[in-house]
Amino acid sequence: MSDKYKDNIDDELEEEKTDGSLKYEENDNWEFEATAHTLENTVVENDEFEIILPPSASDDAAAKESADASEPEEKEEPKKNDSSKYETRERPSAKDTKNDDADKPAKTTATGKSNRMKFICGALISLIVILVLGIFGWRYYTLPNSDEKMNYGNVALTVGEEEVSIGMYNYYYNSIYQNYLQYAQQGYYQLDTTKDFSKQYTTNAKGKKVTWEQMFKDDTVDRLQYILALYHAGVENGVELNKEQKDQIKQQVSDLKKSASESEQSVDEYISEQFGDYCGLATIKKMLTQAFIANNYYRQFLIDNKPTEKEVNAYFKKNKDNFTQVNIGYIPIPYNADDGTARAKAEKEAAKYAKQVKNLDDLKLLVPKACKDLIKQYVAAGQYEDEDSCAEAIAGMLEVSVVKSDTSFPDGAKDWLFSSKTKKNTTTTFTDANNAVVYILLKISDVSIKDDVTYSVRHILVKPETGKEKEESSDTNSTPKYTKAQWDAAKKKADKYLAEYKKGKKNELSFATLAEEYSDDTESTSKGSSGMYGGLYDGVSLGQMVPSFEKWATDKSRKYGDMGIVKSDFGYHIMFFVENVPYYYHECEEAVINEKGDEFVSEAVVKYHNSVMEKTTVAKPEKASAADQTAQQSAEAQTQATTEAATQADNTVEGKDD
């Protein structure tokens, strides 16, 4: 492109930035990689585009134009095996030209013709570019937008066949970044927001050391890959939003518009400020739609890809340590690793206390003394109001269930805990030098497999109608009262739904679909906030559901697909039996299905558009004032031991939750 054209375009861009009068192409289906109106053969590759013209189009046009101009009424017959198109012929003599070819156009040499064609091609390319820029605007191709129009300059990456805009990427990036910051503030991560994230390191899920900057990016791409792979499959399988999800999107849009108005901003300006550059209302709508459809399809994916018994048993055999457990009680006594005598002092103190422990109650009585330093640190950090409440909280967290694969305790401690030679209510002490903690350990139970009874069922709840649901729903502790006529009407409706199921495909997916449509228990469907789908209660432990519901679900004669109608105080439950299995088996099933899900998602290949990715958000360190820096340094010096001890305790409790 000549400097003249380049200068003109730069001037136009400056004007567009100033007056904001540029209008984007309104065709939502436009794709830069596809054929444009005047650009028939466009190839996009490695973030560059090249125009490929038909090789003979200009040649034929020029030849025809020349022939028409010189001899409009006569056409020269083509000669067989004429190589003049490719080879240079001898120049004809003046005599020959005069006598034989006076009325015929002169032959052009191949070199001359080639130069002429280059000129013509160059002119055509310039003309085409000018026409395209005139129609669509230079900015359309090169700059991002908040309208989710997938022009070339707005697509940061593709996941399978789904394009991701800069605004969408920034939305997920900022969400993940803020999530990490919240956990860092609670002491789960060593992350300094005032320092360069490209020079701070952490360990990712694969155990690889990476910078925090890379961690933010990788997690963003992983999240996008997961959602968009499921979203794309959902669309292909005809999955749609339900009414409640559509209403949620409308409500979210309404709330954003209201907040923007209160902030005296346009809605796109407000959203961009809150969620990331180039993120607009169109981005939020698209993000919510994709997430809902992805979630809806994933629930169907779980049904269609149930693990076989062979797959589950193979997984258990390979990962048995994950399900082999022992119940223990423990007290952590942290020490200052920089103090040469601190470790010996802590070990001596722990050994003295361990001699006083014969059971869990004895261990709890030790908390005020054995954990006095830890209690003071927790209270000073503001995590508890006083020492008594802190001691009570610690005593309530002493008993945990540890699996053999747990990495919270030193290997020596685990060997002792899981040894058949170590009897119940035996105590010992172990030092974790890596975390500067001495543990007092009490073995509470024998080693066992996690085999507690769990069951999984789907149901459609049909509640009797009173016409006063709003009044009754305000009192969640009261048992609803219905008349006989109301119960009869509910039973009739339940029978109708069951008959509809039997007329259909009669499988779990068809039942789940009916539950989505008819069940009054919205929390077990995608209509609620639980994330469940199709009336499913999965991996339920005994004692969680009403007696009549649980009695039917735990009947040992049940087989997959069994149906029934159960009455409870809440209404009639149309039941679909899924399984009744030990806890470890259910956990193995979930692990296998997760592996299948990961494999499915990984098939959606991620391709980066590097030149556009350079415009996406990258977290920058916060600027701290001199006073803030001094206060931060003082706080770090005072609470370093507190953070380490709290993190270790929280990690151990987290193991209990798992």
Side-chain angles (χ1 to χ4, degrees):
M1 180 182 298
S2 69
D3 292 338
K4 177 181 178 181
Y5 287 127
K6 183 178 184 298
D7 293 339
N8 289 338
I9 290 170
D10 290 340
D11 292 339
E12 291 173 8
L13 288 176
E14 278 302 315
E15 292 176 4
E16 291 166 359
K17 293 177 184 177
T18 303
D19 61 21
S21 62
L22 179 70
K23 294 183 179 180
Y24 292 110
E25 165 65 31
E26 294 298 323
N27 179 7
D28 289 335
N29 296 322
W30 168 259
E31 296 181 4
F32 184 80
E33 289 83 356
T35 302
H37 294 291
T38 58
L39 199 57
E40 291 297 335
N41 295 298
T42 303
V43 176
V44 178
E45 186 175 4
N46 298 326
D47 293 327
E48 299 178 357
F49 75 90
E50 58 178 290
I51 300 172
I52 303 174
L53 295 175
S56 61
S58 55
D59 289 357
D60 295 341
K64 185 177 185 302
E65 180 182 358
S66 176
D68 291 344
S70 61
E71 192 174 3
E73 296 181 358
E74 294 186 16
K75 296 182 180 179
E76 182 179 2
E77 293 295 329
K79 299 179 181 180
K80 293 184 179 181
N81 301 323
D82 186 356
S83 61
S84 62
K85 188 174 181 180
Y86 304 102
E87 299 178 5
T88 302
R89 289 188 150 193
E90 292 184 2
R91 184 189 301 271
S93 65
K95 179 181 179 181
D96 293 338
T97 302
K98 183 177 180 181
N99 295 332
D100 300 329
D101 299 321
D103 297 327
K104 296 181 182 180
K107 305 285 186 179
T108 305
T109 64
T111 302
K113 182 175 182 179
S114 175
N115 290 335
R116 184 180 66 178
M117 297 328 298
K118 287 181 180 179
F119 173 80
I120 293 174
C121 287
L124 283 174
I125 290 172
S126 298
L127 178 61
I128 290 173
V129 171
I130 292 170
L131 287 174
V132 171
L133 296 182
I135 295 172
F136 298 107
W138 177 267
R139 188 175 181 181
Y140 181 82
Y141 290 98
T142 60
L143 297 184
N145 64 77
S146 60
D147 299 321
E148 289 300 306
K149 295 186 182 299
M150 294 305 173
N151 56 283
Y152 179 69
N154 196 42
V155 180
L157 54 89
T158 55
V159 177
E161 298 181 21
E162 299 298 325
E163 296 175 322
V164 180
S165 68
I166 293 179
M168 186 71 75
Y169 176 92
N170 287 347
Y171 173 87
Y172 280 100
Y173 183 95
N174 284 314
S175 298
I176 286 170
Y177 170 64
Q178 292 298 329
N179 190 53
Y180 273 119
L181 291 191
Q182 290 179 11
Y183 277 105
Q185 291 170 0
Q186 298 173 27
Y188 286 95
Y189 300 111
Q190 296 299 316
L191 180 59
D192 190 339
T193 60
T194 65
K195 295 180 180 179
D196 190 342
F197 296 115
S198 67
K199 296 180 180 179
Q200 299 183 65
Y201 291 86
T202 186
T203 303
N204 63 19
K206 297 180 180 180
K208 182 180 179 181
K209 184 178 179 182
V210 296
T211 65
W212 274 107
E213 182 179 287
Q214 189 65 41
M215 188 77 160
F216 299 148
K217 178 181 177 181
D218 290 346
D219 280 10
T220 299
V221 175
D222 286 347
R223 182 71 59 81
L224 283 164
Q225 185 184 33
Y226 176 82
I227 290 176
L228 293 182
L230 293 169
Y231 165 74
H232 183 76
V235 171
E236 286 193 329
N237 284 273
V239 176
E240 298 179 349
L241 300 174
N242 59 43
K243 181 181 181 301
E244 286 72 18
Q245 291 168 340
K246 291 178 181 178
D247 290 342
Q248 287 184 52
I249 294 175
K250 290 180 181 178
Q251 185 61 51
Q252 188 74 16
V253 169
S254 177
D255 291 344
L256 287 170
K257 288 181 177 179
K258 181 180 179 181
S259 297
S261 178
E262 292 172 351
S263 301
E264 297 183 347
Q265 294 175 291
S266 72
V267 66
D268 281 350
E269 287 174 340
Y270 176 80
I271 291 172
S272 178
E273 185 177 284
Q274 297 295 319
F275 302 109
D277 293 342
Y278 305 112
C279 184
L281 189 61
T283 311
I284 299 300
K285 290 180 181 178
K286 187 174 182 179
M287 178 274 299
L288 290 171
T289 299
Q290 290 175 339
F292 279 133
I293 289 180
N295 180 71
N296 293 350
Y297 175 72
Y298 181 65
R299 303 305 169 184
Q300 296 185 17
F301 179 87
L302 295 178
I303 297 173
D304 293 336
N305 292 272
K306 280 186 173 297
T308 64
E309 184 175 351
K310 182 178 180 180
E311 289 174 326
V312 174
N313 289 334
Y315 183 89
F316 173 72
K317 184 177 180 180
K318 184 179 179 180
N319 299 275
K320 189 175 181 179
D321 286 353
N322 293 340
F323 308 101
T324 304
Q325 66 178 2
V326 62
N327 292 340
I328 72 166
Y330 78 103
I331 289 179
I333 302 179
Y335 62 87
N336 186 354
D338 297 328
D339 185 343
T341 63
R343 173 174 172 171
K345 181 180 178 181
E347 289 176 337
K348 183 177 180 180
E349 186 178 50
K352 179 184 70 174
Y353 289 133
K355 292 179 181 179
Q356 303 174 34
V357 178
K358 301 298 182 183
N359 52 48
L360 183 60
D361 290 337
D362 291 341
L363 194 67
K364 291 180 178 180
L365 292 174
L366 287 176
V367 170
K369 294 181 180 179
C371 301
K372 59 181 182 295
D373 293 336
L374 187 61
I375 291 172
K376 289 179 180 179
Q377 291 168 1
Y378 273 125
V379 174
Q383 297 191 30
Y384 295 95
E385 292 183 0
D386 52 53
E387 293 185 1
D388 289 341
S389 61
C390 181
E392 183 179 354
I394 293 176
M397 295 187 293
L398 295 185
E399 184 178 5
V400 296
S401 178
V402 179
V403 296
K404 200 169 184 179
S405 59
D406 198 317
T407 59
S408 300
F409 293 101
D411 290 338
K414 288 193 297 181
D415 291 342
W416 181 83
L417 287 168
F418 285 90
S419 173
S420 59
K421 297 180 180 179
T422 305
K423 305 302 180 183
K424 289 191 299 184
N425 293 322
T426 304
T427 59
T428 190
T429 63
F430 275 93
T431 301
D432 183 354
N434 291 331
N435 295 297
V437 177
V438 179
Y439 289 106
I440 302 172
L441 296 179
L442 168 68
K443 184 173 182 177
I444 296 176
S445 71
D446 291 327
V447 177
S448 64
I449 300 296
K450 293 183 176 183
D451 58 358
D452 298 340
V453 174
T454 65
Y455 62 88
S456 300
V457 294
R458 293 185 184 274
H459 85 132
I460 299 172
L461 174 62
V462 182
K463 295 170 61 176
E465 296 181 2
T466 65
K468 300 180 180 180
E469 279 74 19
K470 291 184 179 180
E471 289 80 354
E472 291 180 356
S473 62
S474 62
D475 186 1
T476 56
N477 295 321
S478 64
T479 302
K481 302 294 184 182
Y482 303 113
T483 66
K484 182 178 183 303
Q486 291 166 346
W487 277 111
D488 291 344
K491 179 61 166 61
K492 185 176 181 181
K493 187 182 292 186
D495 290 336
K496 177 184 176 183
Y497 296 157
L498 182 58
E500 183 176 345
Y501 166 79
K502 292 181 177 179
K503 289 180 181 178
K505 295 182 179 180
K506 293 190 291 187
N507 57 30
E508 187 176 352
L509 181 56
S510 66
F511 184 92
T513 303
L514 290 177
E516 286 288 306
E517 183 176 358
Y518 296 131
S519 184
D520 291 325
D521 178 16
T522 56
E523 281 304 297
S524 64
T525 70
S526 60
K527 299 175 183 177
S529 59
S530 64
M532 291 188 287
Y533 173 84
L536 177 67
Y537 281 100
D538 189 40
V540 182
S541 300
L542 296 180
Q544 294 187 22
M545 307 300 284
V546 293
S548 57
F549 187 102
E550 188 165 281
K551 181 179 179 181
W552 188 93
T554 56
D555 188 324
K556 293 183 179 180
S557 66
R558 293 274 172 259
K559 296 180 181 180
Y560 175 75
D562 281 355
M563 303 285 299
I565 295 181
V566 174
K567 183 180 180 181
S568 76
D569 290 340
F570 299 97
Y572 285 102
H573 307 261
I574 308 172
M575 308 289 285
F576 183 99
F577 182 76
V578 179
E579 65 180 6
N580 188 333
V581 296
Y583 176 84
Y584 81 86
Y585 191 93
H586 177 263
E587 291 293 291
C588 287
E589 283 183 313
E590 292 206 333
V592 173
I593 192 64
N594 285 337
E595 287 184 349
K596 290 184 177 182
D598 290 343
E599 182 179 350
F600 168 79
V601 168
S602 66
E603 292 176 356
V605 178
V606 176
K607 295 181 180 179
Y608 295 90
H609 297 192
N610 294 327
S611 61
V612 183
M613 280 294 295
E614 292 176 357
K615 302 174 186 177
T616 58
T617 293
V618 176
K620 301 296 183 184
E622 300 172 355
K623 293 182 179 180
S625 65
D628 291 338
Q629 291 176 354
T630 302
Q632 182 179 353
Q633 292 171 358
S634 176
E636 288 177 351
Q638 293 176 4
T639 63
Q640 181 178 2
T642 303
T643 300
E644 293 177 353
T647 300
Q648 179 61 36
D650 290 340
N651 286 341
T652 305
V653 173
E654 188 175 276
K656 175 184 178 182
D657 293 339
D658 293 340

